[in-house]
Amino acid sequence: MDDTPRGLDLGRLIEQVEPGGDLHQVRQDFTRFMMRYRFGMDEVVTKLSILRDEYAHLHEENPIENISSRLKRPESIVEKMSRKGTEPSFDSIEKTITDIAGVRVTCSFVSDVRRVFDQLCSQADVTVVDVRDYIQTPKPNGYRSLHALLEVPVFLTDGPAPVVVEVQMRTIAMDFWASTEHKIFYKYRDDVPPSLLEGLKEAAESAAVLDTRMEQLHTQMRTVGQLPPEIEDELRHSEALVPDETFLRRLHQMGEV
């Protein structure tokens, strides 16, 4: 998610969007603009909460550990408009700033991330706009997560409006890492000492190793005596730093994960 330094206000955003305009009208337009994103965010949270509650009551295991959300602050929008060279209009903001509404989901295992993502995106009124798979292809700093822009309809008094919501899905271990990284970058105002950067990268690799090993132990526990010997052997002896996608899909196809 995004957190930029405080200090800018709604008045500056309004002035950016419509310099010299009717302050009252622009304020109302901005309120309506932000409400759409809040409603879209709430819609995605509701969909995920339904999945979580169904798993909690009707299934043996719940892949969703936590769901959180946030709406970008006006001062953060102004800051990002400046960085991206966004034209001062609501249409331009909508097209260039795609993380105004954000939802984060944490799961115990990488396979849970994949499962919840597939179930959310398979819903008829969810449109996948973009996916960035940092689990399959980690960022240079070691960050692993699944980021997606999802479009959902919001039904208002003047009809349905499509809203794009940024959804991030990651494991508990990687969420802990990302939280720590954010605090470090905030403290040093992006001028982080090289030693800390190297330590963060090593920690990200350690988190990935932990995720992989815990996934293997979890699968062994659930499937003891049920898997073909060659798959059980693969589970016991795999040293991969990240879960093997092909292997996880084999387990899914067998209905074991």
Side-chain angles (χ1 to χ4, degrees):
M1 306 298 180
D2 182 275
D3 289 294
T4 54
R6 296 182 179 274
L8 302 172
D9 57 23
L10 178 57
R12 180 174 171 187
L13 176 59
I14 291 174
E15 183 63 23
Q16 286 258 358
V17 173
E18 190 172 330
D22 182 330
L23 183 62
H24 176 72
Q25 182 61 49
V26 178
R27 186 181 293 272
Q28 280 195 329
D29 291 343
F30 175 74
T31 299
R32 185 179 298 107
F33 179 76
M34 294 301 293
M35 283 179 68
R36 286 173 50 210
Y37 281 97
R38 179 165 64 84
F39 295 153
M41 180 180 71
D42 291 345
E43 181 73 17
V44 173
V45 169
T46 297
K47 289 176 177 296
L48 290 163
S49 297
I50 289 172
L51 289 174
R52 180 179 60 185
D53 289 351
E54 180 190 339
Y55 272 107
H57 293 91
L58 301 177
H59 300 272
E60 292 184 1
E61 297 178 351
N62 193 340
I64 299 176
E65 293 288 343
N66 186 59
I67 304 168
S68 61
S69 61
R70 70 98 184 93
L71 198 64
K72 208 172 188 66
R73 300 189 304 272
E75 57 266 31
S76 297
I77 295 175
V78 171
E79 189 274 339
K80 199 157 191 176
M81 286 173 65
S82 177
R83 282 195 287 114
K84 296 175 73 72
T86 301
E87 293 294 324
S89 71
F90 290 122
D91 286 343
S92 185
I93 293 173
E94 187 173 0
K95 291 176 182 177
T96 61
I97 302 179
T98 56
D99 63 343
I100 294 176
V103 175
R104 180 179 301 149
V105 183
T106 54
C107 301
S108 295
F109 308 105
V110 172
S111 61
D112 289 340
V113 171
R114 301 290 187 196
R115 187 194 331 178
V116 173
F117 178 74
D118 289 345
Q119 290 170 342
L120 177 62
C121 294
S122 67
Q123 298 186 23
D125 58 347
V126 175
T127 300
V128 179
V129 177
D130 183 53
V131 177
R132 297 185 182 182
D133 191 342
Y134 298 120
I135 296 176
Q136 183 69 22
T137 307
K139 286 188 174 184
N141 63 359
Y143 175 71
R144 292 170 170 84
S145 183
L146 190 61
H147 290 197
L149 298 180
L150 305 181
E151 184 181 274
V152 294
V154 171
F155 295 89
L156 305 172
T157 56
D158 55 355
V163 177
V164 172
V165 178
E166 183 190 59
V167 179
Q168 298 179 2
M169 296 186 176
R170 57 200 187 208
T171 62
I172 297 172
M174 189 49 61
D175 189 61
F176 177 46
W177 180 91
S179 175
T180 302
E181 190 224 29
H182 171 75
K183 292 173 183 176
I184 290 174
F185 271 79
Y186 184 83
K187 176 179 176 60
Y188 287 94
R189 304 298 183 189
D190 294 335
D191 188 22
V192 183
S195 59
L196 279 179
L197 291 175
E198 183 61 29
L200 279 170
K201 187 171 184 179
E202 291 176 359
E205 295 297 333
S206 297
V209 172
L210 176 62
D211 276 340
T212 301
R213 187 55 185 149
M214 295 303 290
E215 179 107 49
Q216 292 170 338
L217 291 172
H218 178 66
T219 304
Q220 283 183 271
M221 176 193 70
R222 293 185 58 210
T223 61
V224 60
Q226 301 179 34
L227 295 178
E230 64 272 14
I231 294 185
E232 288 192 354
D233 187 65
E234 190 172 343
L235 275 170
R236 283 193 296 269
H237 297 95
S238 174
E239 296 181 355
L241 288 181
V242 295
D244 185 298
E245 294 296 318
T246 301
F247 179 70
L248 288 176
R249 292 191 184 283
R250 285 164 60 196
L251 291 175
H252 274 292
Q253 290 168 2
M254 295 178 62
E256 300 292 351
V257 172

